[in-house]
Amino acid sequence: MIDLGPLAWMVHVAAAFAIAFFAQSVFSPKGREARVVIRAMIPVVILTLLGAEWLPHPVAGMLIGYFGSRAFGPWGSARGGLLAAVIAAVVLMQLGASWLLFPLFFMGLGWLASGGPARGRRRAPKVQAEVAELPAQASGKPIPAPVTPSAAEGPLASFLADARLPAQARAQLVALNLRTQEALSLLKDQGLEGTEGFFVARAIREEYAPEAVQAYLKLPRSLADTGVIQDGKTGAALLSEQLELLLDGVQEIIAGSLQSGGQALLTHGRFLRERFAKVEQDLRVPVMIPAADKVK
């Protein structure tokens, strides 16, 4: 190691910035790329050799989080970054963080047990495929077939293919996107645009659902699906629970529009019966029996 004497404190300050730079690089969307991981490791190696011997340890801890967030999922798009992270792990162990071998070993076993190699070969599900797999909500209520809007349209469309969201949440968003559009169209066709149901359906579509998703996306990526937030529930579980509540609300609005439309249909039916029942009686042709048949 190089002894910098009184300038050693500058090395330690720079090391703190190197930790922040490493975290910002590898946990960003571009952290899937090998060059980003390697670039983040360069200042770590240099500053460790200059005297910041403690630096490899916190970086090694963040590297474990990186493996957890990138490998346990469809990791094909992050293949380059994961390979670079393996090399970075070897370098960190050489710089002093030899303990890193044990958690990575057991993490690798867990990755293999969960079907790790197969995850990389899975293609991201298409939105249309997810729509076909939504015969019912989690509560058991049937989800009606899509009307005219496409699942790739509307204010929720930007979230439907977001890989940061759990598959269950994306499926619920597809259903919400379709059901809210259906509810708004039904109420508009019935002339009920000024009703509470119309405003609630629009708020679910444009405010409540997007706000729930954005709150989830603000959670740390490495802990969003595993860290307990409240009552034993993770961020992913809370998001799914909130989206399910919104789906229930939309279904109630659609059911209400069915009752409203059905009442109008019944009223029209009563009118038709009153209008044409007597006419039908008057228009009936009497059946004449021939005299010969009477004698017989």
Side-chain angles (χ1 to χ4, degrees), residues 21-22 47 59 120 132 135 143 149 165 196 200 205 225 240 286 293 296:
F21 176 69
F22 184 87
L47 292 170
V59 173
I143 296 178
L165 294 175
E196 181 182 3
V200 171
R205 181 178 177 82
D225 298 340
S240 180
D293 293 341
K296 291 180 181 181

Side-chain angles (χ1 to χ4, degrees), residues 179-198:
R179 296 295 74 82
T180 51
Q181 181 60 43
E182 179 184 11
L184 292 172
S185 297
L186 286 171
L187 294 172
K188 184 176 181 181
D189 291 342
Q190 294 174 7
L192 301 175
E193 294 180 77
T195 61
E196 181 182 3
F198 187 89

Side-chain angles (χ1 to χ4, degrees), residues 179-261:
R179 296 295 74 82
T180 51
Q181 181 60 43
E182 179 184 11
L184 292 172
S185 297
L186 286 171
L187 294 172
K188 184 176 181 181
D189 291 342
Q190 294 174 7
L192 301 175
E193 294 180 77
T195 61
E196 181 182 3
F198 187 89
F199 289 111
V200 171
R202 188 167 63 182
I204 289 174
R205 181 178 177 82
E206 299 178 359
E207 298 177 28
Y208 301 154
E211 287 174 2
V213 174
Q214 289 165 0
Y216 169 83
L217 293 177
K218 291 179 182 178
L219 298 175
R221 290 298 91 217
S222 58
L223 298 175
D225 298 340
T226 56
V228 175
I229 297 178
Q230 185 181 32
D231 298 332
K233 298 177 182 178
T234 63
L238 290 173
L239 174 62
S240 180
E241 182 181 89
Q242 293 175 20
L243 294 179
E244 185 68 23
L245 287 174
L246 294 178
L247 274 170
D248 288 341
V250 177
Q251 287 301 121
E252 290 181 5
I253 294 172
I254 293 175
S257 69
L258 173 64
Q259 293 298 323
S260 176

